[in-house]
Amino acid sequence: MNSPAKQSPPVVFVVDDDLAVRESLDSLIRSVGLRVETFSSAQEFLRHKLPDAPACLVLDIRMPGRSGLDLQHELAAEERTTPIIFITGHGDIPMSVRAMKAGAVEFLTKPFRDRDLLDAIHQAIQRDQAALQRRADLAELHTRYELVTPREREVMRLVVGGMMNKQIAARLGTTEITVKIQRGSVMKKMKATSVADLVRLADKLGIEVTS
């Protein structure tokens, strides 16, 4: 199994137009052993290539140019799914509701407790670690599926659709022993331990079941 979290240590991105805030957050976050990268604007952050590592974004909601909410929207449009923690000195309920509905992990109003921010950061990084692992697992699953031949894929769809070897052979116009061999090959290539496991893998791949 791949483990993207081990490729590089977690990193926290801080986007705030106030230098004093950036420096304060940089010091706080580094004090708990996390990497930090700071940016003065949404535009500067958007030019940055995200590392292949668990991450989160501590984002000021009101900034010159693109606001924090604007950046959240742009990241979603680009399918950049880094979890976001909003911080603001001028928050209101509609703004916080909009941010949370769009997937923000937390919405903190200044002044907030250091512990509250650090707890939110750890929660966000754990969420991103899980998402990276799911993507890595799915990529590995697609790699396995690429090894399955076109005929074996037909057999696989029929197996996960609940058909027995004899029924599959009749459907495909082949022999039961041939189906048995192809079915065994599918199980081996997909690393499936049972038909139920194969059904689960097929569902993850979005394979249309043939019945």
Side-chain angles (χ1 to χ4, degrees), residues 11 17 21 25 32-33 35 39 57 96 103 120 130 146 157 167 184 186 191 196 202:
V11 57
D17 62 305
V21 171
L25 293 178
V32 294
R35 285 196 300 155
F39 304 86
L57 175 58
S96 63
E146 288 298 314
R157 284 193 293 270
Q167 296 170 307
V186 168
K191 298 182 181 179

XYZ file of all heavy atoms in Angstrom, residues 11 17 21 25 32-33 35 39 57 96 103 120 130 146 157 167 184 186 191 196 202:
150
model
N 2.813 20.105 5.875
C 3.131 21.527 5.766
C 1.864 22.347 5.947
O 0.784 21.945 5.513
C 3.801 21.845 4.405
C 2.916 21.426 3.251
C 4.168 23.318 4.297
N -2.413 39.026 4.622
C -1.727 40.217 4.118
C -0.993 40.983 5.215
O -0.203 41.887 4.925
C -2.727 41.160 3.423
C -3.803 41.656 4.378
O -4.472 40.812 4.997
O -3.986 42.884 4.481
N 0.975 39.166 11.534
C 0.180 37.948 11.718
C 0.915 36.751 11.126
O 0.980 35.683 11.745
C -1.215 38.100 11.075
C -1.956 36.756 11.069
C -2.030 39.146 11.807
N 2.028 33.541 13.351
C 1.527 32.196 13.054
C 2.660 31.255 12.672
O 2.661 30.078 13.032
C 0.477 32.260 11.947
C -0.833 32.961 12.305
C -1.762 33.001 11.098
C -1.520 32.272 13.476
N 5.273 23.563 17.241
C 4.772 22.195 17.434
C 5.360 21.244 16.385
O 4.848 20.149 16.164
C 3.226 22.144 17.409
C 2.662 22.883 18.604
C 2.666 22.709 16.110
N 6.430 21.685 15.726
C 7.180 20.798 14.840
C 6.667 20.678 13.420
O 7.068 19.765 12.695
N 6.081 22.150 9.460
C 6.624 23.061 8.453
C 5.601 24.142 8.150
O 4.403 23.888 8.158
C 6.926 22.311 7.152
C 8.162 21.444 7.176
C 8.567 21.081 5.759
N 7.516 20.359 5.055
C 7.381 20.341 3.738
N 8.179 21.038 2.962
N 6.411 19.622 3.179
N 2.404 33.317 2.827
C 2.129 34.078 1.607
C 1.352 35.342 1.985
O 0.521 35.322 2.897
C 1.304 33.246 0.618
C 1.939 31.929 0.267
C 1.720 30.810 1.066
C 2.768 31.813 -0.835
C 2.318 29.593 0.761
C 3.359 30.600 -1.153
C 3.143 29.486 -0.357
N -4.391 24.822 4.936
C -4.257 26.236 4.602
C -4.922 27.072 5.695
O -6.110 26.916 5.962
C -4.916 26.490 3.245
C -5.005 27.913 2.711
C -3.627 28.540 2.592
C -5.706 27.909 1.355
N -19.307 32.916 7.791
C -18.814 31.653 8.348
C -19.624 30.477 7.810
O -19.076 29.414 7.517
C -18.871 31.676 9.876
O -20.193 31.797 10.340
N -16.781 23.645 2.729
C -15.826 22.620 3.142
C -14.735 23.041 4.092
O -13.827 22.253 4.374
N -7.284 22.734 15.206
C -7.878 22.752 13.870
C -6.865 22.333 12.816
O -7.192 21.614 11.860
C -8.423 24.146 13.556
N -5.730 11.403 5.099
C -6.693 10.374 4.707
C -7.062 10.502 3.232
O -7.166 9.503 2.516
C -7.943 10.467 5.576
N -5.356 -2.377 -14.837
C -4.728 -2.296 -16.155
C -4.124 -3.641 -16.577
O -3.940 -3.897 -17.769
C -3.627 -1.224 -16.160
C -4.147 0.206 -16.122
C -4.987 0.550 -17.343
O -4.553 0.216 -18.460
O -6.070 1.138 -17.175
N -16.890 -8.524 -14.620
C -18.191 -7.853 -14.515
C -19.308 -8.858 -14.231
O -20.237 -8.584 -13.466
C -18.490 -7.070 -15.793
C -17.721 -5.763 -15.908
C -18.275 -4.882 -17.023
N -18.049 -5.475 -18.334
C -16.964 -5.251 -19.066
N -16.008 -4.456 -18.604
N -16.829 -5.805 -20.247
N -22.813 -20.211 -15.726
C -23.630 -19.172 -16.367
C -22.765 -18.231 -17.208
O -23.156 -17.814 -18.297
C -24.378 -18.367 -15.295
C -25.394 -19.172 -14.498
C -25.925 -18.397 -13.315
O -25.164 -17.889 -12.490
N -27.245 -18.300 -13.231
N -9.827 -16.933 -11.905
C -8.680 -17.033 -10.993
C -7.635 -15.975 -11.313
O -7.015 -15.396 -10.406
N -8.212 -13.049 -12.694
C -8.760 -11.764 -12.236
C -8.530 -11.593 -10.737
O -8.072 -10.531 -10.286
C -10.269 -11.666 -12.547
C -10.889 -10.483 -11.810
C -10.505 -11.541 -14.042
N -5.781 -8.810 -6.667
C -5.431 -9.089 -5.272
C -6.698 -9.168 -4.407
O -6.730 -8.679 -3.265
C -4.467 -8.037 -4.722
C -3.132 -7.988 -5.456
C -2.183 -6.972 -4.844
C -0.864 -6.932 -5.601
N 0.071 -5.925 -5.040
N -16.694 -11.188 -2.571
C -17.163 -9.968 -1.902
C -16.105 -8.868 -1.986
O -16.427 -7.692 -2.192
C -17.503 -10.258 -0.441
N -14.475 -3.501 -7.461
C -15.160 -3.068 -8.679
C -15.972 -1.813 -8.430
O -16.023 -0.904 -9.268
C -16.070 -4.185 -9.196
